[in-house]
Amino acid sequence: MAQLKSVDAVIVGAGFSGLYLLHLLRGQGFTTRVFERAAGVGGTWYWNRYPGARCDVESMQYSYSFDEELQQEWSWPEKYSAQPDILDYINHVAEKYQLSKDITFNTSVCRAHFDEISKQWKIVTDTGEVVKASHFIMATGCISTANLPNIPGTGDFGGKIYHTGKWPHEKVDFSGQSVGIIGTGSSGIQSIPVIAAEARHLTVFQRTPHWTVPARNVPMTDEYEKIWKKDYAERRAQMRYSPSGSLRSVAPIDISALDVSEEDREQAYRERWAAGGMTLLKSYNDLLTNDAANETAAKWVRQRIAGIVKDPKTADLLSPKTYPIGTKRLCLDTDYYEAFNRQNVELVDIVKEPIERITLNGLKIGDRTFAFDSIVFATGFDAMTGTLLRVDIQGRGGLTLQKKWEAGPRTYLGLMSEGFPNMYTITGPGSPSVKSNMMSSIEQHVELVVDTLMHLRENSIETIEPHRSAEDDWVEHVQEVANQTLFPKANSWYMGTNIPGKPQLFMPYIGGVGAYRRICEEVVADGYRGFAFEQKISEAAAAE
Ligand code: NAP
């Protein structure tokens, strides 16, 4: 029988995480295979091509920091980059470090089983390839499995159906069309103004109004770029130990919102609203921990909505009232509320009366029918765990990841799960991941994994795996920290509530990027505290 191909590491995914992993592992002499289901690199930026798709972290910070030459040579056209520009950047990175030649595209990993005798992972792809690897690294991203709700009749629709997270490569032209869009999270909020400007008519179906603040995106200026590039390394170092993995243009105020006068608060909120971006939530130190403090910001933003949206009924419908501001991901928009002042845009509340079914011509809600040429689902993702649990992963004793995580994800540091030796989840549940600038968190996890593999190799260690007690403590700590905040008060994909039947608990680690990095550094300095090692048995010893 032919021997199976064996490598040091198999990486799943060729987004920002997978590419950096490949670059570092290859540089350290590890044999590596990368499997990517798409036809190209880019991960989330490969798939999310919907109109208006844009990053809500500034480009100078949402980019790799590992190579001074790369960060100096690249110029971003705008403050917040649009999807095509981010994809251009990722392709440039793949070309600069000659990464694509080691990536197998159009190939999904569908099974990974750990063999306790050989201490290797056996990985099977949907093209029938089988590879053995000492290390199995899921670099599959946090929001990579689209959620298409099970609305009756979806297959009956005679027009075109799109999902923002699986957008076609060719330009979708909505000119002259009547379009329906379901969902008003970040993807809906970004695409609604753009589709509204093109379509004949746009109907927006809203279940929960999301909080959104202006991005104030502008073309990149030479001056701003120079400010960053002058001391890029120093700024990146600050980002790595900051709470969110990024630096704010307006400094946070380290006092309670309730300890200042209403005039002072108004001034602070006005400044941050004018500056744009996420800084509004950092106006005071208790906006995400104290209901009354939070409500001061929420009320102020509701007044802005009422000031922009001309129809009071529509303004009221767009104003969130059922959960604190910032506890679902805060959205950054460009002219979102303004879009509802257009004659061709209609907002339909589907809380009291949900969509009953999709029909041949459109959709039906109670006795109302809507006719559409196209329907856009901006309905989000089975986030954080969806992609991991769709792969048939089996660890020791045939334990499946589905079984292990049936009550919610269980990891130590968001990086590894007990029972699954040498399997790593880059920005996995239980790490800062989506509650941070993803680029800072990706680089940290990738470097930690590569350092770990080098440590194992240098010390003839065959496997690494968390102790159950360390994992239990970490899972508890992640929830403890979340419970000190207002985040669990919202139904959000952070909590898993957007997917029917999914366990509900706060999945990312919200203790801060810098604090988390320090914890990881201490764990390593303390001889990988909380991890168990299995030493390689030398051939001589094995023969005795
Ligand atoms: P999302 O935030 O989960 O929003 C999904 C929307 O669809 C929500 O309004 C949700 O309503 C609605 N929905 C879901 N199922 C539905 C159903 N069965 N019937 C009716 N409505 C339904 O998803 P997203 O907008 O794609 O964003 C996901 C995340 O991706 C963001 O939070 C962000 O982290 C990331 N993202 C970032 C950017 C950026 O960088 N600017 C852009 C896009 C996405 P409910 O709220 O009631 O559940």
Side-chain angles (χ1 to χ4, degrees):
M1 216 172 75
Q3 282 278 309
L4 286 183
K5 285 168 268 178
S6 184
V7 291
D8 293 319
V10 159
I11 298 165
V12 189
F16 276 118
S17 311
L19 292 184
Y20 187 32
L21 272 166
L22 173 61
H23 174 61
L24 284 191
L25 286 174
R26 221 173 46 180
Q28 293 301 333
F30 290 101
T31 52
T32 309
R33 289 290 304 271
V34 182
F35 293 104
E36 166 57 58
R37 71 183 154 121
V41 299
T44 197
W45 300 105
Y46 177 92
W47 296 103
N48 285 268
R49 296 164 186 254
Y50 59 85
R54 186 178 289 287
C55 186
D56 56 13
V57 177
E58 287 188 26
S59 311
M60 297 308 292
Q61 309 193 43
Y62 191 84
S63 43
Y64 287 120
S65 74
F66 67 83
D67 184 346
E68 181 63 13
E69 185 184 285
L70 171 66
Q71 66 183 5
Q72 289 295 338
E73 79 192 1
W74 190 259
S75 285
W76 295 100
E78 293 177 274
K79 184 174 178 185
Y80 294 98
S81 287
Q83 175 271 336
D85 294 322
I86 302 176
L87 197 56
D88 279 354
Y89 170 76
I90 303 177
N91 277 304
H92 167 76
V93 170
E95 207 171 297
K96 182 176 173 80
Y97 304 101
Q98 296 172 33
L99 300 172
S100 295
K101 66 185 169 68
D102 287 332
I103 302 169
T104 308
F105 292 103
N106 299 306
T107 306
S108 295
V109 165
C110 43
R111 190 190 309 155
H113 289 186
F114 182 71
D115 174 23
E116 290 184 72
I117 302 197
S118 67
K119 313 273 189 241
Q120 290 221 307
W121 285 90
K122 186 173 163 192
I123 290 131
V124 182
T125 72
D126 63 350
T127 56
E129 192 170 352
V130 184
V131 184
K132 277 186 165 186
S134 304
H135 301 276
F136 175 54
I137 312 175
M138 290 294 278
T140 42
C142 297
I143 41 175
S144 42
T145 294
N147 167 40
L148 193 67
N150 194 10
I151 301 176
T154 306
D156 301 344
F157 184 54
K160 286 268 171 67
I161 287 193
Y162 302 97
H163 190 289
T164 48
K166 275 185 174 175
W167 203 261
H169 282 220
E170 58 283 2
K171 152 108 181 110
V172 176
D173 187 359
F174 290 116
S175 314
Q177 289 197 13
S178 171
V179 180
I181 182 165
I182 303 168
T184 52
S186 301
S187 306
I189 281 173
Q190 287 187 334
S191 54
I192 284 163
V194 183
I195 299 175
E198 191 173 278
R200 177 168 49 80
H201 192 271
L202 178 66
T203 310
V204 178
F205 296 95
Q206 173 187 273
R207 191 163 66 178
T208 313
H210 281 229
W211 293 103
T212 174
V213 297
R216 309 264 183 236
N217 183 37
V218 285
M220 183 67 70
T221 61
D222 284 351
E223 195 193 352
Y224 192 67
E225 188 177 327
K226 273 190 198 136
I227 290 173
W228 268 87
K229 289 191 174 174
K230 189 161 62 68
D231 51 5
Y232 224 151
E234 169 58 26
R235 283 167 182 260
R236 297 288 202 180
Q238 284 175 29
M239 284 164 61
R240 287 184 195 114
Y241 289 92
S242 68
S244 63
S246 45
L247 302 184
R248 306 283 175 193
S249 52
V250 187
I253 307 172
D254 196 14
I255 49 171
S256 164
L258 305 176
D259 284 346
V260 296
S261 68
E262 194 165 341
E263 293 73 42
D264 285 354
R265 271 200 307 264
E266 295 242 335
Q267 160 91 7
Y269 295 148
R270 206 174 310 118
E271 256 178 47
R272 283 157 179 76
W273 181 269
M278 300 279 180
T279 52
L280 190 103
L281 286 180
K282 299 279 169 195
S283 303
Y284 296 101
N285 65 13
D286 55 354
L287 291 184
L288 291 169
T289 51
N290 179 313
D291 275 309
N294 185 284
E295 182 53 27
T296 64
K299 189 173 152 205
W300 192 85
V301 173
R302 280 188 213 106
Q303 287 166 352
R304 303 285 77 65
I305 301 170
I308 301 170
V309 180
K310 294 195 177 120
D311 172 41
K313 248 174 91 180
T314 307
D316 186 55
L317 263 185
L318 287 167
S319 297
K321 297 174 199 85
T322 55
Y323 64 100
I325 183 168
T327 53
K328 272 174 181 281
R329 165 103 175 180
L330 185 68
C331 305
L332 296 197
D333 71 87
T334 301
D335 297 337
Y336 177 63
Y337 293 120
E338 288 80 353
F340 292 90
N341 291 333
R342 299 176 64 103
Q343 292 300 311
N344 68 333
V345 176
E346 179 189 1
L347 181 66
V348 178
D349 176 20
I350 52 171
V351 175
K352 288 185 205 110
E353 262 194 309
I355 297 170
E356 198 177 304
R357 65 177 300 113
I358 307 242
T359 61
L360 175 67
N361 295 319
L363 57 81
K364 185 171 179 304
I365 298 179
D367 52 11
R368 284 191 296 170
T369 54
F370 298 82
F372 298 123
D373 301 296
S374 299
I375 298 178
V376 175
F377 283 86
T379 44
F381 301 86
D382 184 353
M384 313 241 19
T385 55
T387 308
L388 297 168
L389 295 177
R390 275 167 178 75
V391 179
D392 167 14
I393 297 175
Q394 278 186 28
R396 287 188 193 280
L399 175 67
T400 64
L401 196 64
Q402 282 96 338
K403 179 78 190 151
K404 170 93 197 243
W405 288 11
E406 67 186 347
R410 301 192 61 77
T411 68
Y412 180 38
L413 301 173
L415 193 68
M416 298 192 82
S417 195
E418 180 255 351
F420 299 83
N422 294 3
M423 177 183 128
Y424 314 82
T425 48
I426 303 298
T427 63
S431 73
S433 58
V434 293
K435 284 307 302 159
S436 68
N437 171 1
M438 284 299 289
M439 292 303 294
S440 300
S441 292
I442 285 171
E443 287 195 328
Q444 188 242 338
H445 258 194
V446 167
E447 287 160 12
L448 179 57
V449 167
V450 176
D451 286 350
T452 301
L453 263 60
M454 288 165 64
H455 176 82
L456 303 187
R457 183 171 64 184
E458 279 155 22
N459 293 282
S460 301
I461 297 166
E462 199 155 36
T463 67
I464 179 171
E465 176 185 354
H467 285 294
R468 170 64 77 91
S469 57
E471 183 176 287
D472 287 348
D473 290 350
W474 185 255
V475 169
E476 199 183 310
H477 176 61
V478 171
Q479 294 313 305
E480 231 172 48
V481 176
N483 288 336
Q484 289 162 15
T485 72
L486 303 176
F487 279 94
K489 291 195 166 199
N491 287 330
S492 67
W493 59 261
Y494 296 144
M495 294 288 295
T497 49
N498 63 327
I499 302 295
K502 190 164 171 166
Q504 295 185 9
L505 76 173
F506 196 77
M507 291 186 283
Y509 178 59
I510 206 171
V513 165
Y516 173 81
R517 181 183 278 270
R518 285 197 183 89
I519 293 171
C520 293
E521 286 168 353
E522 283 162 22
V523 162
V524 172
D526 203 8
Y528 285 85
R529 187 180 64 229
F531 287 100
F533 291 139
E534 270 183 307
Q535 212 66 35
K536 232 178 221 154
I537 304 173
S538 70
E539 277 175 24
E544 273 173 21

